């Protein structure tokens, strides 16, 4: 294989630049987090643990090997917030913000990279979209910060409540899943609290819908129409949340360690929260180590599907899953085309959805098998953690802190691949492909 392209930076494709940018941010973040000032005790964090934490923060996952609330100092927690924002919005989006502030023109090459990072099919209006992304994101985070600060101020001093509000607003909107309540508790103290639940779920959903959908929704009053992409994302998101909440409510209703000990209000809040958070958020209001095995497995499915394209979340994405479901339904009905909202889906989109799903499934299976070989842990826990890492979810059943150094490295690679997407990573690391000059004759094989 020819690796000459590695040194020819000027000719790098947008996927290679994006992968390299994320890798550089992770390495810088790991270096800073390993410094004494980042820890509450002034001790250096082991570099592997610092690298794991930086990867989890930049890839907005939320899996941790040390307790964020007690181990890191305020300065260290601020560093994590910066990594959330860079990882969630994308380093190219933040670089564009700097360029816009200094009124620097965005070049064609930079627009191509932005198109790739935002998962868009065209460069048209990409800079305008970035402006909206920044405006909407900061506005939503500010609203979350104010609501969290108001609620937390009843339980702690105002200054501390403000910092907690800012940290969790940025973490949840970017679907990072980190918390600073200590003892790996996440939001379990507020399992029945309406303000915290509504605020947290709204931040997670808005962060996971994707910036194109948010733009469509906020301009609906003026345009009076939604794009096909937004309709599909909203329909599948609502379906997954509704089914997820119902399934979790049924499975855990009599479990005394989860829903069984809550009143009806708490049961409903917790059911919806646990249905929304596998969409790559990582926060939780129930103890995941106490969930029944059926619930854990169902959560794995939700984590694998993940959020929507162009969002802060991971997974194979809701649109990919929708195309797969549509293909199955069309095949059962004997129809040639997949149709959503009276629009026929192009075959290349279906092929891309299948490719993403198979690559993602292969990654999760391989990681699970390797971890099952080197780690002495129950299989379901390993599968859960591997899927959580791939989907950049951050939910955990307690396995991550117990992993060996090799296990941590494997999970790091999985988080990195999950954040960027297996297809983007394949494009970035591959030597490039030449256009086919001919087509082979069509053949037929028996299926099923």
């Amino acid at each position: 294989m020819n690796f000459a392209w590695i040194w020819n930076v000027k000719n790098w494709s947008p996927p290679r630049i994006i992968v390299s940018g994320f890798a550089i941010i992770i390495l810088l973040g790991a270096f800073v987090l390993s410094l004494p000032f980042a820890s509450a005790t002034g001790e250096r964090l082991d570099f592997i643990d610092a690298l794991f934490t930086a990867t989890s923060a930049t890839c907005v996952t939320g899996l941790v090997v040390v307790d964020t609330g007690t181990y890191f100092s305020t300065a260290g927690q601020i560093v994590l917030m910066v990594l959330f924002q860079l990882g969630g919005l994308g380093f190219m989006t933040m670089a564009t913000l700097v360029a816009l502030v200094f009124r620097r023109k965005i070049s064609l090459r930079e627009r191509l990279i932005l198109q790739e990072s935002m998962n868009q099919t065209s460069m048209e209006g990409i800079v305008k979209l970035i402006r909206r992304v920044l405006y909407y994101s900061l506005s939503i985070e500010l609203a979350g910060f104010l609501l969290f600060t108001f609620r937390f101020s009843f339980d702690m001093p105002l200054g501390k409540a403000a910092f907690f509000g800012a940290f969790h607003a940025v973490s949840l909107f970017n679907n990072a899943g980190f918390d600073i309540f200590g003892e790996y508790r996440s939001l379990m103290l507020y399992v029945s609290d309406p303000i915290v639940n509504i605020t947290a779920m709204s931040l997670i959903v808005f962060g996971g819908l994707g910036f194109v959908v948010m733009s469509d929704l906020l301009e609906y009053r003026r345009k009076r129409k939604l794009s096909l992409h937004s309709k599909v994302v909203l329909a599948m998101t609502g379906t997954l949340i509704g089914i997820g909440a119902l399934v979790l409510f049924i499975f855990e209703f009599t479990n005394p360690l989860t829903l069984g000990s809550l009143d009806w209000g708490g049961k409903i809040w917790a059911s919806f929260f646990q249905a929304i958070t596998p969409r790559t958020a990582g926060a939780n209001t129930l103890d995941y180590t106490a969930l029944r095995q059926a619930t854990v497995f169902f959560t794995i499915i939700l984590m694998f599907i993940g959020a929507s394209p162009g969002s802060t979340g991971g997974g194979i994405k809701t649109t990919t899953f929708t195309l797969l479901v549509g293909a199955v339904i069309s095949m059962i009905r004997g129809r040639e085309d997949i149709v959503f909202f009276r629009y026929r889906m192009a075959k290349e989109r279906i092929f891309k959805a299948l490719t993403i799903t198979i690559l993602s499934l292969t990654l999760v299976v391989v990681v699970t098998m390797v971890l099952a070989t080197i780690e002495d842990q129950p299989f379901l826990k390993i599968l859960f953690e591997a899927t959580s890492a791939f989907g950049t979810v951050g939910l955990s059943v307690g396995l991550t802190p117990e992993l060996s150094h090799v296990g941590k490295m494997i999970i790091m690679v999985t988080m990195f691949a999950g954040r960027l997407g297996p297809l983007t990573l394949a494009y970035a690391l591959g030597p490039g492909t030449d256009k086919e000059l001919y087509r082979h004759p069509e053949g037929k094989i028996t299926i099923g």
Side-chain angles (χ1 to χ4, degrees), residues 238-409:
T239 301
L240 290 173
I241 291 173
I243 293 175
L246 180 62
V247 169
L248 192 130
F249 183 85
I250 294 171
F251 285 177
E252 296 295 319
F253 185 82
T254 58
N255 186 347
L257 300 177
T258 56
L259 295 185
S261 60
L262 303 175
D263 58 21
W264 275 95
K267 284 180 170 64
I268 293 172
W269 285 123
S271 296
F272 274 99
F273 196 99
Q274 265 57 230
I276 289 173
T277 196
R279 313 303 311 289
T280 82
N284 57 285
T285 56
L286 294 179
D287 182 3
Y288 269 73
T289 62
L291 293 178
R292 288 173 171 154
Q293 289 192 358
T295 311
V296 171
F297 188 75
F298 181 74
T299 304
I300 289 172
I301 297 172
L302 292 179
M303 292 193 297
F304 186 75
I305 297 170
S308 301
S311 71
T312 59
I316 63 170
K317 304 295 191 292
T318 52
T319 48
T320 302
F321 181 68
T322 304
L323 277 174
L324 295 178
V325 172
V328 172
I329 293 173
S330 295
M331 181 61 68
I332 291 173
R333 291 181 174 179
R335 295 178 179 176
E336 185 176 346
D337 295 326
I338 300 173
V339 179
F340 295 125
F341 299 100
R342 298 182 180 178
Y343 284 93
R344 173 175 55 85
M345 298 295 104
K347 282 186 169 55
E348 59 264 24
R349 294 287 168 188
I350 303 167
F351 289 145
K352 186 174 182 179
L354 285 170
T355 302
I356 290 171
T357 304
I358 291 173
L359 286 175
S360 301
L361 187 60
T362 301
L363 176 64
V364 172
V365 168
V366 170
V367 169
T368 302
M369 287 193 300
V370 173
L371 287 177
T373 303
I374 64 175
E375 305 289 341
D376 186 19
Q377 296 287 344
F379 177 78
L380 192 60
K381 288 179 68 174
I382 292 173
L383 177 61
F384 188 95
E385 224 80 356
T387 310
S388 181
F390 161 73
T392 68
V393 180
L395 292 174
S396 177
V397 286
L399 175 61
T400 300
E402 301 175 10
L403 290 173
S404 62
H405 278 348
V406 177
K408 291 174 185 176
M409 294 293 290

Side-chain angles (χ1 to χ4, degrees), residues 98-143:
V98 175
L100 292 174
V101 168
F102 288 98
R103 299 182 181 278
R104 188 176 70 81
K105 188 177 180 180
I106 310 299
S107 68
L108 176 63
R109 181 171 174 75
E110 290 167 337
R111 290 170 190 263
L112 283 169
I113 299 170
L114 285 169
Q115 177 190 337
E116 180 69 27
S117 66
M118 297 301 293
N119 203 15
Q120 296 299 293
T121 56
S122 169
M123 283 193 301
E124 184 180 356
I126 191 67
V127 176
K128 185 177 180 181
L129 174 63
I130 295 299
R131 286 196 183 100
R132 289 176 180 170
V133 165
L134 293 167
Y135 174 74
Y136 298 153
S137 300
L138 296 176
S139 298
I140 292 170
E141 287 177 351
L142 177 61

Side-chain angles (χ1 to χ4, degrees), residues 59-60 84-85 87-90 117-118 133 136-141 144 168-177 198-215 217-218 229 233-234 237 241 276-282 306-315 317-318 391-392 419:
C59 297
V60 288
F84 302 157
Q85 201 70 280
L89 299 183
S117 66
M118 297 301 293
V133 165
Y136 298 153
S137 300
L138 296 176
S139 298
I140 292 170
E141 287 177 351
H168 292 96
V170 174
S171 176
L172 291 172
F173 176 75
N174 289 290
N175 282 207
I198 292 173
T199 304
M201 287 191 287
S202 299
L203 288 168
I204 294 168
V205 170
F206 277 119
L209 282 177
F211 301 117
V212 174
V213 179
M214 278 198 294
S215 178
L217 287 174
L218 292 170
H229 171 79
V233 167
L234 291 171
T237 298
I241 291 173
I276 289 173
T277 196
R279 313 303 311 289
T280 82
S308 301
S311 71
T312 59
K317 304 295 191 292
T318 52
T392 68
R419 177 63 183 94

